[in-house]
Coordinates of all heavy atoms in Angstrom, one line a residue:
M1 N 0.8 -1.2 0.0 CA 0.0 0.0 0.0 C 0.9 1.2 0.0 O 0.5 2.2 -0.6 CB -0.9 0.0 1.2 CG -1.9 1.1 1.2 SD -3.5 0.6 0.6 CE -4.5 0.7 2.1
A2 N 2.0 1.2 0.7 CA 2.9 2.3 0.7 C 3.5 2.7 -0.7 O 3.6 3.8 -1.0 CB 4.1 2.1 1.7
S3 N 3.7 1.6 -1.5 CA 4.2 1.9 -2.9 C 3.2 2.6 -3.7 O 3.5 3.5 -4.5 CB 4.6 0.6 -3.5 OG 5.7 0.0 -2.8
L4 N 1.9 2.2 -3.5 CA 0.8 2.8 -4.3 C 0.7 4.2 -3.9 O 0.5 5.1 -4.7 CB -0.5 2.0 -4.1 CG -1.7 2.6 -4.8 CD1 -1.5 2.7 -6.3 CD2 -2.9 1.7 -4.5
E5 N 0.8 4.5 -2.6 CA 0.7 5.9 -2.1 C 1.8 6.8 -2.7 O 1.6 7.9 -3.0 CB 0.8 5.9 -0.6 CG 0.0 6.8 0.2 CD -1.4 7.2 -0.3 OE1 -2.4 6.5 0.1 OE2 -1.6 8.2 -1.0
V6 N 3.1 6.2 -2.8 CA 4.2 7.0 -3.4 C 3.8 7.3 -4.9 O 4.0 8.4 -5.3 CB 5.5 6.1 -3.3 CG1 6.6 6.7 -4.2 CG2 6.0 6.1 -1.9
L7 N 3.3 6.3 -5.6 CA 3.0 6.5 -7.0 C 1.9 7.5 -7.1 O 1.9 8.4 -8.0 CB 2.5 5.2 -7.6 CG 2.1 5.2 -9.0 CD1 3.2 5.5 -9.9 CD2 1.5 3.8 -9.4
L8 N 0.9 7.5 -6.2 CA -0.2 8.5 -6.3 C 0.3 9.9 -5.9 O -0.1 10.9 -6.5 CB -1.3 8.1 -5.3 CG -2.1 6.8 -5.7 CD1 -3.1 6.4 -4.6 CD2 -2.8 7.0 -7.0
N9 N 1.2 10.0 -5.0 CA 1.8 11.3 -4.6 C 2.6 11.9 -5.8 O 2.4 13.1 -6.1 CB 2.7 11.2 -3.4 CG 2.0 11.0 -2.1 OD1 0.8 11.4 -2.0 ND2 2.6 10.4 -1.2
Q10 N 3.3 11.1 -6.6 CA 4.0 11.5 -7.8 C 3.0 12.0 -8.8 O 3.2 13.0 -9.5 CB 4.9 10.4 -8.3 CG 6.1 10.1 -7.4 CD 6.9 8.9 -7.9 OE1 6.4 8.1 -8.8 NE2 8.1 8.7 -7.4
A11 N 1.9 11.2 -9.0 CA 0.9 11.6 -10.0 C 0.2 12.9 -9.6 O -0.1 13.7 -10.4 CB -0.1 10.5 -10.1
R12 N 0.0 13.1 -8.3 CA -0.6 14.3 -7.8 C 0.3 15.5 -8.1 O -0.1 16.6 -8.5 CB -0.9 14.3 -6.3 CG -2.2 13.7 -6.0 CD -2.6 13.8 -4.5 NE -3.2 12.6 -4.1 CZ -2.6 11.6 -3.5 NH1 -1.3 11.6 -3.2 NH2 -3.2 10.5 -3.1
D13 N 1.6 15.3 -7.8 CA 2.6 16.4 -8.0 C 2.6 16.8 -9.5 O 2.8 18.0 -9.8 CB 4.0 16.0 -7.6 CG 4.1 15.8 -6.1 OD1 3.2 16.3 -5.3 OD2 5.1 15.2 -5.6
E14 N 2.4 15.9 -10.4 CA 2.4 16.2 -11.8 C 1.0 16.7 -12.3 O 0.9 17.0 -13.5 CB 2.8 14.9 -12.6 CG 4.2 14.5 -12.3 CD 4.6 13.2 -13.0 OE1 3.8 12.7 -13.8 OE2 5.7 12.7 -12.7
G15 N 0.0 16.7 -11.5 CA -1.3 17.1 -11.9 C -2.1 16.0 -12.7 O -3.0 16.3 -13.3
A16 N -1.6 14.8 -12.6 CA -2.1 13.7 -13.4 C -3.3 13.0 -12.7 O -4.0 12.2 -13.4 CB -1.1 12.7 -13.8
I17 N -3.5 13.2 -11.4 CA -4.5 12.6 -10.7 C -5.1 13.6 -9.7 O -4.5 14.5 -9.3 CB -4.0 11.3 -9.9 CG1 -5.1 10.4 -9.5 CG2 -3.0 11.7 -8.8 CD1 -4.6 9.1 -9.0
R18 N -6.4 13.3 -9.4 CA -7.1 14.2 -8.4 C -6.4 14.3 -7.1 O -5.7 13.3 -6.7 CB -8.5 13.7 -8.2 CG -9.4 13.7 -9.4 CD -10.6 12.9 -9.2 NE -11.3 13.2 -8.0 CZ -12.6 13.4 -7.8 NH1 -13.4 13.2 -8.8 NH2 -13.1 13.7 -6.7
E19 N -6.5 15.4 -6.4 CA -5.9 15.6 -5.1 C -6.5 14.8 -4.0 O -5.9 14.5 -3.0 CB -6.0 17.1 -4.8 CG -5.1 18.0 -5.6 CD -3.6 17.9 -5.4 OE1 -3.3 17.6 -4.3 OE2 -2.9 18.0 -6.4
D20 N -7.8 14.4 -4.2 CA -8.5 13.8 -3.1 C -8.6 12.2 -3.2 O -9.5 11.6 -2.6 CB -10.0 14.4 -3.0 CG -10.8 14.2 -4.3 OD1 -10.2 13.8 -5.3 OD2 -12.0 14.4 -4.3
V21 N -7.7 11.6 -4.0 CA -7.7 10.2 -4.1 C -6.6 9.6 -3.4 O -5.4 10.0 -3.5 CB -7.7 9.8 -5.6 CG1 -7.5 8.3 -5.8 CG2 -8.9 10.4 -6.3
G22 N -6.8 8.5 -2.6 CA -5.8 7.8 -1.9 C -5.7 6.4 -2.3 O -6.5 5.9 -3.1
A23 N -4.7 5.7 -1.7 CA -4.5 4.3 -2.1 C -5.7 3.4 -1.8 O -6.1 2.5 -2.5 CB -3.3 3.8 -1.4
G24 N -6.4 3.7 -0.7 CA -7.5 2.9 -0.3 C -8.6 3.0 -1.3 O -9.3 2.0 -1.7
E25 N -8.9 4.2 -1.8 CA -9.9 4.4 -2.8 C -9.6 3.7 -4.1 O -10.4 3.0 -4.7 CB -10.2 5.9 -3.1 CG -10.9 6.6 -2.0 CD -9.9 7.2 -1.0 OE1 -8.7 7.1 -1.2 OE2 -10.4 7.8 0.0
V26 N -8.3 3.8 -4.5 CA -7.9 3.1 -5.8 C -8.1 1.6 -5.6 O -8.6 0.9 -6.6 CB -6.4 3.5 -6.1 CG1 -5.9 2.7 -7.3 CG2 -6.4 5.0 -6.5
L27 N -7.6 1.0 -4.5 CA -7.8 -0.4 -4.3 C -9.2 -0.8 -4.3 O -9.6 -1.9 -4.9 CB -7.1 -0.8 -3.0 CG -5.6 -0.8 -3.1 CD1 -5.0 -1.1 -1.7 CD2 -5.0 -1.7 -4.1
M28 N -10.1 -0.1 -3.7 CA -11.5 -0.4 -3.7 C -12.1 -0.3 -5.1 O -12.9 -1.2 -5.5 CB -12.3 0.5 -2.7 CG -12.0 0.1 -1.2 SD -13.1 0.9 -0.1 CE -12.6 2.6 -0.3
L29 N -11.7 0.7 -5.8 CA -12.2 0.8 -7.2 C -11.8 -0.4 -8.1 O -12.6 -0.9 -8.8 CB -11.7 2.1 -7.8 CG -12.4 3.4 -7.3 CD1 -11.6 4.6 -7.8 CD2 -13.8 3.4 -7.8
L30 N -10.5 -0.8 -8.0 CA -10.0 -1.9 -8.8 C -10.7 -3.2 -8.4 O -11.1 -4.0 -9.3 CB -8.5 -2.0 -8.7 CG -7.8 -0.8 -9.3 CD1 -6.3 -1.0 -9.0 CD2 -8.0 -0.7 -10.8
C31 N -10.9 -3.4 -7.1 CA -11.6 -4.6 -6.7 C -13.1 -4.5 -7.1 O -13.7 -5.6 -7.5 CB -11.6 -4.7 -5.1 SG -9.9 -5.2 -4.5
G32 N -13.7 -3.4 -7.1 CA -15.1 -3.2 -7.5 C -15.3 -3.5 -9.0 O -16.3 -3.9 -9.4
I33 N -14.2 -3.3 -9.8 CA -14.3 -3.6 -11.2 C -14.0 -5.1 -11.4 O -14.7 -5.8 -12.1 CB -13.3 -2.8 -12.0 CG1 -13.8 -1.3 -12.0 CG2 -13.2 -3.3 -13.4 CD1 -12.7 -0.4 -12.6
A34 N -13.0 -5.6 -10.8 CA -12.5 -7.0 -11.0 C -13.5 -8.0 -10.6 O -13.8 -9.0 -11.3 CB -11.1 -7.2 -10.4
H35 N -14.0 -7.8 -9.4 CA -14.9 -8.9 -8.8 C -16.2 -9.1 -9.6 O -16.5 -10.2 -10.0 CB -15.2 -8.6 -7.3 CG -16.1 -9.6 -6.7 ND1 -15.6 -10.9 -6.4 CD2 -17.4 -9.6 -6.3 CE1 -16.6 -11.6 -5.9 NE2 -17.6 -10.8 -5.8
P36 N -17.0 -8.1 -9.8 CA -18.2 -8.3 -10.6 C -18.0 -8.7 -12.0 O -18.8 -9.5 -12.5 CB -19.0 -6.9 -10.6 CG -18.3 -6.1 -9.6 CD -16.9 -6.7 -9.4
T37 N -17.0 -8.3 -12.7 CA -16.8 -8.6 -14.1 C -16.4 -10.1 -14.2 O -16.6 -10.7 -15.3 CB -15.8 -7.7 -14.8 OG1 -14.6 -7.7 -14.0 CG2 -16.4 -6.3 -14.9
R38 N -15.9 -10.7 -13.2 CA -15.5 -12.1 -13.3 C -16.8 -13.0 -13.5 O -16.7 -14.1 -14.0 CB -14.8 -12.6 -12.1 CG -13.3 -12.2 -12.2 CD -12.5 -12.9 -11.0 NE -12.1 -11.8 -10.2 CZ -11.9 -11.8 -8.9 NH1 -12.2 -12.8 -8.2 NH2 -11.5 -10.7 -8.3
S39 N -17.9 -12.5 -13.0 CA -19.1 -13.3 -13.0 C -20.0 -13.0 -14.2 O -21.0 -13.6 -14.4 CB -19.9 -13.1 -11.7 OG -20.3 -11.8 -11.6
L40 N -19.6 -12.1 -15.1 CA -20.3 -11.7 -16.3 C -20.2 -12.8 -17.3 O -19.1 -13.4 -17.4 CB -19.9 -10.4 -16.8 CG -20.2 -9.2 -16.0 CD1 -19.5 -7.9 -16.6 CD2 -21.7 -9.0 -15.8
P41 N -21.1 -12.9 -18.2 CA -21.0 -13.9 -19.4 C -19.9 -13.4 -20.3 O -19.5 -12.2 -20.4 CB -22.3 -13.7 -20.1 CG -23.3 -13.0 -19.2 CD -22.4 -12.3 -18.2
A42 N -19.3 -14.4 -20.9 CA -18.1 -14.1 -21.8 C -18.4 -13.1 -22.9 O -17.6 -12.4 -23.4 CB -17.6 -15.4 -22.4
S43 N -19.7 -13.0 -23.3 CA -20.1 -12.1 -24.4 C -19.9 -10.7 -24.0 O -19.9 -9.8 -24.8 CB -21.5 -12.4 -24.8 OG -22.4 -12.1 -23.7
L44 N -19.8 -10.4 -22.7 CA -19.6 -9.0 -22.2 C -18.2 -8.7 -22.0 O -17.9 -7.5 -21.6 CB -20.4 -8.8 -20.9 CG -21.9 -8.9 -21.0 CD1 -22.6 -8.8 -19.6 CD2 -22.5 -7.9 -22.0
H45 N -17.3 -9.6 -22.2 CA -15.9 -9.3 -22.0 C -15.2 -9.1 -23.3 O -15.6 -9.7 -24.3 CB -15.2 -10.5 -21.3 CG -15.5 -10.6 -19.8 ND1 -14.9 -9.9 -18.9 CD2 -16.4 -11.3 -19.2 CE1 -15.4 -10.1 -17.7 NE2 -16.3 -11.0 -17.9
P46 N -14.1 -8.4 -23.5 CA -13.5 -7.5 -22.5 C -14.0 -6.1 -22.6 O -13.7 -5.2 -21.8 CB -12.0 -7.6 -22.9 CG -12.0 -7.7 -24.4 CD -13.3 -8.5 -24.7
S47 N -14.9 -5.8 -23.6 CA -15.2 -4.4 -23.9 C -15.9 -3.7 -22.7 O -15.6 -2.6 -22.3 CB -16.1 -4.3 -25.1 OG -17.4 -4.9 -24.9
K48 N -16.8 -4.4 -22.0 CA -17.5 -3.8 -20.9 C -16.5 -3.6 -19.7 O -16.6 -2.5 -19.0 CB -18.7 -4.7 -20.4 CG -19.8 -4.8 -21.4 CD -20.3 -3.4 -21.8 CE -21.4 -3.6 -22.9 NZ -21.8 -2.3 -23.5
E49 N -15.6 -4.5 -19.5 CA -14.7 -4.3 -18.4 C -13.7 -3.1 -18.7 O -13.4 -2.3 -17.9 CB -13.8 -5.6 -18.3 CG -12.9 -5.6 -17.1 CD -12.3 -7.0 -16.9 OE1 -11.6 -7.4 -17.8 OE2 -12.5 -7.6 -15.8
S50 N -13.3 -3.0 -20.0 CA -12.5 -1.9 -20.3 C -13.2 -0.6 -20.3 O -12.6 0.5 -19.9 CB -11.8 -2.1 -21.7 OG -12.8 -2.2 -22.7
D51 N -14.5 -0.6 -20.6 CA -15.3 0.6 -20.5 C -15.4 1.1 -19.0 O -15.2 2.2 -18.7 CB -16.8 0.4 -21.0 CG -16.8 0.3 -22.5 OD1 -15.9 0.7 -23.2 OD2 -17.9 -0.1 -23.0
L52 N -15.6 0.1 -18.1 CA -15.6 0.4 -16.7 C -14.3 1.0 -16.2 O -14.2 2.0 -15.5 CB -15.9 -0.8 -15.8 CG -17.4 -1.3 -15.9 CD1 -17.5 -2.7 -15.2 CD2 -18.3 -0.3 -15.3
L53 N -13.2 0.4 -16.6 CA -11.9 0.9 -16.3 C -11.6 2.3 -16.8 O -11.1 3.1 -16.1 CB -10.8 -0.1 -16.8 CG -9.4 0.2 -16.3 CD1 -9.3 0.3 -14.8 CD2 -8.4 -0.8 -16.9
R54 N -12.1 2.5 -18.0 CA -11.9 3.9 -18.6 C -12.6 4.9 -17.8 O -12.1 6.0 -17.5 CB -12.4 3.9 -20.1 CG -12.2 5.2 -20.8 CD -12.9 5.3 -22.1 NE -14.2 4.8 -22.2 CZ -15.3 5.4 -21.7 NH1 -15.2 6.6 -21.2 NH2 -16.5 4.8 -21.8
V55 N -13.9 4.6 -17.4 CA -14.7 5.5 -16.6 C -14.0 5.8 -15.3 O -13.9 7.0 -14.9 CB -16.1 5.0 -16.4 CG1 -16.8 5.8 -15.3 CG2 -16.9 5.0 -17.7
V56 N -13.5 4.8 -14.6 CA -12.8 5.0 -13.4 C -11.5 5.8 -13.5 O -11.3 6.7 -12.8 CB -12.5 3.6 -12.7 CG1 -11.5 3.7 -11.5 CG2 -13.7 2.9 -12.3
L57 N -10.7 5.5 -14.5 CA -9.5 6.2 -14.8 C -9.7 7.6 -15.1 O -9.0 8.5 -14.7 CB -8.6 5.5 -15.8 CG -8.0 4.2 -15.5 CD1 -7.3 3.6 -16.6 CD2 -7.1 4.3 -14.2
D58 N -10.8 7.9 -15.9 CA -11.1 9.3 -16.2 C -11.5 10.0 -15.0 O -11.2 11.2 -14.8 CB -12.3 9.4 -17.2 CG -11.8 9.1 -18.7 OD1 -10.6 9.1 -18.9 OD2 -12.6 9.0 -19.6
G59 N -12.2 9.3 -14.1 CA -12.6 10.0 -12.8 C -11.5 10.3 -11.9 O -11.5 11.2 -11.1
L60 N -10.4 9.5 -12.0 CA -9.2 9.7 -11.2 C -8.3 10.8 -11.7 O -7.5 11.4 -10.9 CB -8.4 8.4 -11.0 CG -9.1 7.3 -10.3 CD1 -8.2 6.0 -10.4 CD2 -9.2 7.6 -8.8
R61 N -8.3 11.0 -13.0 CA -7.4 12.0 -13.6 C -7.7 13.4 -13.1 O -8.9 13.7 -12.8 CB -7.6 12.0 -15.1 CG -6.9 10.7 -15.7 CD -6.9 10.9 -17.2 NE -6.2 9.7 -17.8 CZ -6.8 8.6 -18.2 NH1 -8.1 8.6 -18.2 NH2 -6.2 7.6 -18.7
G62 N -6.7 14.2 -13.2 CA -6.9 15.7 -13.0 C -7.9 16.3 -14.0 O -8.0 15.7 -15.1
P63 N -8.5 17.4 -13.7 CA -9.5 18.0 -14.6 C -9.1 18.2 -16.0 O -9.9 18.1 -16.9 CB -9.8 19.3 -13.9 CG -9.1 19.4 -12.6 CD -8.2 18.2 -12.6
A64 N -7.8 18.5 -16.3 CA -7.4 18.8 -17.7 C -7.0 17.6 -18.4 O -6.6 17.6 -19.6 CB -6.2 19.8 -17.6
R65 N -7.1 16.4 -17.8 CA -6.5 15.2 -18.4 C -7.5 14.1 -18.8 O -7.2 13.0 -19.0 CB -5.4 14.6 -17.6 CG -4.3 15.5 -17.4 CD -3.2 14.9 -16.6 NE -2.1 15.8 -16.6 CZ -0.8 15.4 -16.9 NH1 -0.6 14.2 -17.3 NH2 0.1 16.3 -16.8
V66 N -8.8 14.4 -18.7 CA -9.8 13.4 -19.0 C -9.8 13.1 -20.5 O -9.7 14.0 -21.4 CB -11.2 13.9 -18.6 CG1 -12.3 12.9 -19.1 CG2 -11.3 14.1 -17.1
T67 N -9.8 11.8 -20.8 CA -9.7 11.3 -22.2 C -11.0 11.2 -22.9 O -12.0 11.0 -22.3 CB -9.0 10.0 -22.3 OG1 -9.8 9.0 -21.6 CG2 -7.6 10.0 -21.7
A68 N -11.0 11.3 -24.2 CA -12.2 11.1 -25.0 C -12.4 9.6 -25.2 O -11.4 8.8 -25.3 CB -12.1 11.8 -26.3
R69 N -13.6 9.1 -25.4 CA -13.8 7.7 -25.7 C -13.4 7.4 -27.1 O -13.8 8.1 -28.0 CB -15.3 7.4 -25.5 CG -15.6 6.0 -25.7 CD -17.0 5.7 -25.4 NE -17.3 4.3 -25.6 CZ -18.3 3.6 -25.2 NH1 -19.2 4.3 -24.5 NH2 -18.4 2.3 -25.4
A70 N -12.7 6.3 -27.3 CA -12.3 5.9 -28.6 C -13.3 4.8 -29.1 O -13.2 3.7 -28.7 CB -10.9 5.3 -28.5
D71 N -14.1 5.2 -30.0 CA -15.1 4.3 -30.5 C -14.7 3.6 -31.8 O -14.0 4.1 -32.6 CB -16.5 5.0 -30.8 CG -17.2 5.3 -29.5 OD1 -17.1 4.5 -28.5 OD2 -17.8 6.4 -29.4

C-alpha cells in the first residue's frame, strides 16, 4: 500500500490525478471492477470491463486530463 501511495503522490505532483484520491480508494475501485466482471457472461468481456476501467481512470485524472472515448 505504501508503494501505491508513493505512486499516487508523484501523480498528484504532476497534476495527473485528483488531489482527493488515496490508495484505499484506488484499491476499492479496482476490486469493484475486477470482482463483478468475473461473473459476467463471456459475451460481455472484454469491452464492458475496459469501459468500466476507462470511466474509473477518467474519474481519477486531474481535470485537464480526461480522455475522449475511442469508438
Side-chain angles (χ1 to χ4, degrees):
M1 186 98 112
S3 297
L4 180 56
E5 217 37 89
V6 168
L7 181 65
L8 292 174
N9 286 335
Q10 290 173 346
R12 273 188 220 97
D13 291 345
E14 295 174 10
I17 195 166
R18 295 168 49 138
E19 293 288 329
D20 60 347
V21 175
E25 288 88 5
V26 171
L27 290 174
M28 286 190 294
L29 286 168
L30 293 176
C31 289
I33 291 172
H35 181 71
T37 54
R38 279 188 245 145
S39 62
L40 292 174
S43 62
L44 296 178
H45 286 277
S47 65
K48 296 300 178 194
E49 189 174 58
S50 63
D51 286 348
L52 287 173
L53 184 58
R54 181 188 48 77
V55 168
V56 169
L57 292 176
D58 281 350
L60 292 173
R61 286 189 179 97
R65 296 184 178 232
V66 175
T67 61
R69 183 177 180 164
D71 288 322

